[in-house]
Amino acid sequence: MRAVIQRVARASVTVNGGEPRSIGRGIVILLGVGDTDTLDIVPKLAEKCAHLRIFEDEQGKLNRSAVELGYSALVVSNFTLYGDTSRGRRPSFIRAAKPPLSVDGYEAFLRELSAQGLAGVEHGEFGADMQVDLVNDGPVTIWIDTDDWNR
């Protein structure tokens, strides 16, 4: 799985033109599921995302997590995290998992992330038309690729 985590002041996702689902301060997670991923990596990834120390403490050091501060998360599925442009200008998404693995992985991640103690977890819908709006909270963006854990 691949996750891009962005620290935000606020964020929302509008699904299929409906009512936005929004959070205040917290994290936005773009989640991609790969074709070789298994569900047993989901708990570790959710724990890592929820407990990343990317918020400032009283001394201005990045030493607090969204869970510690009572913040929320907004999760959006993103198969394009597996885009490969090595063969030309048009990306290939052959490494992105197809449903049902993608849906199962996404939904398992949502459940595990909620279990980590975040104040709330809002989310998009896998395969829907989604518009994401966010106001970042400083230049903090983290990339996690679970394939790197096996190297």
Side-chain angles (χ1 to χ4, degrees), residues 36-102:
T36 60
D37 290 334
T38 60
L39 296 182
D40 41 330
I41 61 173
V42 171
K44 182 177 177 182
L45 179 60
E47 179 182 17
K48 189 170 281 291
C49 290
H51 297 281
L52 276 173
R53 297 185 173 281
I54 59 174
F55 294 93
E56 287 91 3
D57 62 13
E58 296 77 21
Q59 289 77 39
K61 295 182 180 179
L62 297 181
N63 202 25
R64 306 287 304 271
S65 72
V67 169
E68 290 175 70
L69 294 168
Y71 293 163
S72 300
L74 173 67
V75 183
V76 178
S77 62
N78 192 325
F79 77 95
T80 61
L81 291 179
Y82 281 93
D84 177 6
T85 59
S86 62
R87 293 190 176 160
R89 295 183 185 162
R90 180 177 296 152
S92 165
F93 301 105
I94 197 162
R95 289 208 48 231
K98 311 289 185 281
L101 176 59
S102 290

Side-chain angles (χ1 to χ4, degrees), residues 17-32:
E19 190 70 27
R21 299 167 188 172
S22 61
I23 63 168
R25 287 193 58 142
I27 53 177
V28 168
I29 303 170
L30 303 179
L31 183 70

Side-chain angles (χ1 to χ4, degrees), residues 109-132:
F109 182 77
L110 293 173
R111 286 190 302 274
E112 288 291 334
L113 198 60
S114 292
Q116 290 299 317
L118 289 159
V121 177
E122 292 291 335
H123 58 87
E125 292 179 19
F126 185 86
D129 175 33
M130 293 182 283
Q131 301 296 315
V132 179

